[in-house]
Structure formats: C-alpha cells, structure tokens
Amino acid sequence: MDESTPTGAGHGRAVATRVRIRARSRTEPHRASTPLELLFDLCFVVAVAQAGSKLVHALAAGHPGHGITGYLLVFFAIWWAWMNFTWFASAYDTDDVLYRLVTLVQMSGVLVLAAGVPRAFDDADYTVAVLGYLIMRAALTFQWLQAASGESGAARTVALRYAAGLVVVQIAWVVLLLLPGSWWTGGFLVLVVAELSVPAYTEHDHRTSWHPHHIAERYGLFTLIVLGESISAATVAVQSALDESAALDLLLPIAAGGLVIVFAAFWSYFAVPIHEHLSSNRQAFLWGYGHYAVLGSAAAIGAGIEVAVEQVTHHAEISARAAASCVTVPTAVFLLMVWAVHTRHFKSGLAQHMVLPAGAVAVLACTLAGHLAVPLAGLACACTVAAGVWPARVR
C-alpha cells in the first residue's frame, strides 16, 4: 500500500502497516466511529465512574464543597484528554498498527488516571492522576508529530503547533505537581486556561480536517455512555438498599424518577441534527467546550440518585432537601447547557427557546419537595420533553 494513500476508518477494514499519517477528507461520506474509538470511550467511563463514586461519598458525608471541587478538577482532566484525542482522530485516524498501539497507550493512561482519583479526592494527592494524564498527553503528542511528518505547508505547521503546545503545558503540570499544595487550585485554573487556549491558537489561521458528522456522533456516543453510567450507578444503589430491606415506598419513586430523568436527558440531547451546525472552528469549539458542563452534569445525575437513595436508607448525613438537590441541580444544569450549546441553534421563537430553560427552573423547584423531589423532577423532565415534541407533531 502506498504510504500516502488514506485508508479511512471502518469496522471491517484490514489494519494497514504504514507509518505516516495524512489528513482525512472533511467531506468523506459514511464517516463513522470505529471499534477502537468505542473501546477508548469505555476506558474513560472507568475514570468517570471513579469520580462519580467519590462525589457520592463526599456529598453523602455532608462535604459538598470538597466533593464538587474535586469532581470538577478530576472531570476536567478526563473530559479534556478525551476531547483532544477525539478531534485528532476525526482528522487523522488511519487505523494502522502504530496508530492503534499509540491509542492503546492513551487508554492505559486513562486507567492510571482513574486509579489516582481516590487519592486526589481523599488526600489532595494528584501524583498518580497527573501521571496518567501525562501518559495520555505524551501519546497524543507523538501522534501529532507523526501527523506533521505526513503533512506540508500550513497543515504541517498546525500539527507542530499542537505538539509544541502539548509539551509546554505538560511541563507546566509537572512543575505544578512539585510546588506546595497551596499552589494547586490557582495553578490548576491557570493551566486549564492554557489547555483550552492551545486549539484556539493552533488553528487560528488553518483548521484541521475534522469531520462534522463524525464529531457529532462521537460526542453523542460518549454522552450515551455517561448517561448509561448514571443508570448503572442508580441501579446499584437501589439494589444495595433492597438487600438491606429498606422501604420500597420511598425507593421505588426515586428509582422511577431517576430513570425518567435519564430518558428525558437522552431525548433532549438527541433532538437535533447538530452536525449541521458545526460548520466552522468557532462554532465547533464553543460547542465542544460546552460539553464539559453537559457531560459533567450527566455523570453527576447518577451520583445524585445514589445520594438520594443513601439518604432514604439513613446512610447519608444530610437532609432530604440537600439529597434532593444532588439530583435536581445537575439535572437542571444538563437541561440548561444542552439548550445553550446544543439545541438552541435549531429553535425559533421565544416559546421554543424557553422549553429547556423553563424545564430547568421547574426541576430546581422540585428540590423543595424533599423525599418526593426525584419523582417530581422526573415528571418535570417528562413534561419538558413533551413540550418540545408537541409543536413538531402538530405542524
């Protein structure tokens, strides 16, 4: 096979053995996610589950500040590493032997990151988590250098800029790790800005050939996996409660309400063909960056349902209203952010635009209901979906 010939990415394609990478076409037909990318997502869900588990423990123990701060820090590392590889793969996935091996290294890195989550939460020890992050970023840097070797002109410059930006920021993470713990929060925020700035600077005059339909599918699949993790977490929590013969009259409404919330989250997210909106870097980057809140809140919904179950079974040291807020707040954030970065681009008129924001407000109001908050929030979410679907049905 000629090393300069793109191979594409498909489920049944034989693995190529070439080394150089060439950009794929942005208009390539039938561009779909590959099994390797799906395996990549599943590895990241392990880290998401770890972060969610520690969030549950912190919230149930009555330490929301510590739990939410730790969750936001860890989830950023998970989301950002996933996002960076996803956009690279959309432009350069060749599925050759070396590409697969380097991608598997990134998967190993996220598992190391996941192993470091408990230490980061409990002891503010970020050593293992940062090590896992560095493994992922080093592998991605290698892939950008590999892409640069197969490109010329502006495309080569962009690939080299990405590699250089990754190296500089990763050195900064190591330096931050060596500084006193009091530097961590401020230094973390500075490096978050640096991380987010790399793509904007790198592609300001020439964009990589990411594929709109492929990117939309990748984000959609990861959203599905995260929502599935919420269902799994809630199921485990309810099962544990049932094993202790806890009251069914309180557990069943929580389980039913939580399930409806997740179903409504799915419906709201997949209501529009978002790939039609992703026509420029500015639109796509803002949409992609906004998914930090979309995905983070989706994962937190499952954690919140677990906390609500623990409160009912007297394993949480918080009030019923506080436990309810652990479900209603992330649900409201999800609805609001899905509208802000996702569905509003396809809405017309004030009534359509207000459906999801109004639904978010209604869900927040359910917090006041205490033990009934989760089923009422599920009802509010169902009504929100119905309000969005009904106008389309009657046209």
Side-chain angles (χ1 to χ4, degrees):
M1 179 183 297
D2 184 345
E3 67 175 11
S4 66
T5 304
T7 59
H11 286 36
R13 186 175 78 252
V15 180
T17 58
R18 62 184 176 82
V19 175
R20 294 177 64 189
I21 290 181
R22 291 290 177 86
R24 301 180 65 155
S25 171
R26 198 166 185 272
T27 59
E28 177 183 336
H30 311 299
R31 179 76 167 95
S33 298
T34 67
L36 183 65
E37 289 175 315
L38 299 180
L39 180 61
F40 187 84
D41 291 354
L42 290 176
C43 290
F44 272 80
V45 169
V46 174
V48 172
Q50 284 277 32
S53 175
K54 301 307 295 185
L55 177 62
V56 169
H57 293 157
L59 294 176
H63 304 300
H66 170 73
I68 294 172
T69 300
Y71 177 76
L72 293 176
L73 295 181
V74 170
F75 196 86
F76 174 82
I78 297 169
W79 162 77
W80 187 244
W82 176 87
M83 179 171 165
N84 275 213
F85 170 77
T86 295
W87 288 80
F88 173 86
S90 188
Y92 290 102
D93 179 7
T94 54
D95 203 29
D96 57 35
V97 172
L98 184 59
Y99 179 87
R100 285 192 174 191
L101 291 175
V102 177
T103 302
L104 294 176
V105 170
Q106 293 193 61
M107 296 181 199
S108 302
V110 75
L111 296 179
V112 174
L113 170 62
V117 168
R119 293 186 181 186
F121 262 88
D122 298 336
D123 307 317
D125 180 359
Y126 297 93
T127 305
V128 176
V130 170
L131 175 61
Y133 188 67
L134 291 176
I135 292 172
M136 291 185 285
R137 308 302 273 168
L140 183 61
T141 300
F142 176 83
Q143 288 180 317
W144 276 115
L145 291 173
Q146 190 186 10
S149 70
E151 296 284 13
S152 60
R156 175 180 171 83
T157 299
V158 167
L160 290 174
R161 283 177 182 170
Y162 264 115
L166 287 169
V167 169
V168 170
V169 177
Q170 299 332 296
I171 291 174
W173 281 112
V174 174
V175 171
L176 179 61
L177 195 62
L178 299 176
L179 292 175
S182 58
W183 289 65
W184 179 259
T185 301
F188 181 90
L189 294 176
V190 170
L191 290 182
V192 164
V193 174
E195 290 274 17
L196 296 175
S197 300
V198 170
Y201 164 73
T202 300
E203 300 198 33
H204 72 275
D205 56 0
H206 180 84
R207 70 180 181 185
T208 53
S209 58
W210 49 269
H211 194 288
H213 199 285
H214 175 254
I215 283 292
E217 182 187 23
R218 295 291 295 117
Y219 273 78
L221 289 172
F222 197 57
T223 300
L224 281 177
I225 292 175
V226 171
L227 289 174
E229 177 59 31
S230 289
I231 294 176
S232 175
T235 302
V236 170
V238 172
Q239 182 61 55
S240 298
L242 290 176
D243 290 342
E244 299 178 12
S245 301
L248 281 177
D249 59 332
L250 293 176
L251 285 176
L252 289 179
I254 290 175
L259 192 62
V260 173
I261 288 172
V262 174
F263 288 168
F266 156 79
W267 200 301
S268 300
Y269 185 91
F270 290 97
V272 297
I274 194 61
H275 64 276
E276 296 177 2
H277 171 68
L278 307 180
S279 59
S280 69
N281 271 2
R282 182 178 181 277
Q283 293 168 328
F285 285 177
L286 289 176
W287 173 81
Y289 286 3
H291 272 70
Y292 170 62
V294 172
L295 294 168
S297 59
I301 290 172
I305 296 172
E306 285 194 65
V307 173
V309 170
E310 291 198 10
Q311 199 281 329
V312 166
T313 56
H314 309 293
H315 290 90
E317 302 173 10
I318 57 176
S319 67
R321 188 170 293 178
S325 69
C326 295
V327 180
T328 57
V329 171
T331 301
V333 171
F334 180 88
L335 293 175
L336 190 60
M337 289 305 301
V338 165
W339 170 81
V341 304
H342 197 70
T343 62
R344 71 179 178 87
H345 307 293
F346 296 85
K347 302 295 183 181
S348 61
L350 181 62
Q352 286 190 20
H353 274 286
M354 287 304 296
V355 169
L356 287 178
V361 172
V363 167
L364 280 178
C366 294
T367 307
L368 301 175
H371 286 135
L372 294 176
V374 177
L376 288 177
L379 178 61
C381 287
C383 291
T384 300
V385 169
V389 170
W390 181 74
R393 297 288 295 175
V394 299
R395 285 193 191 117

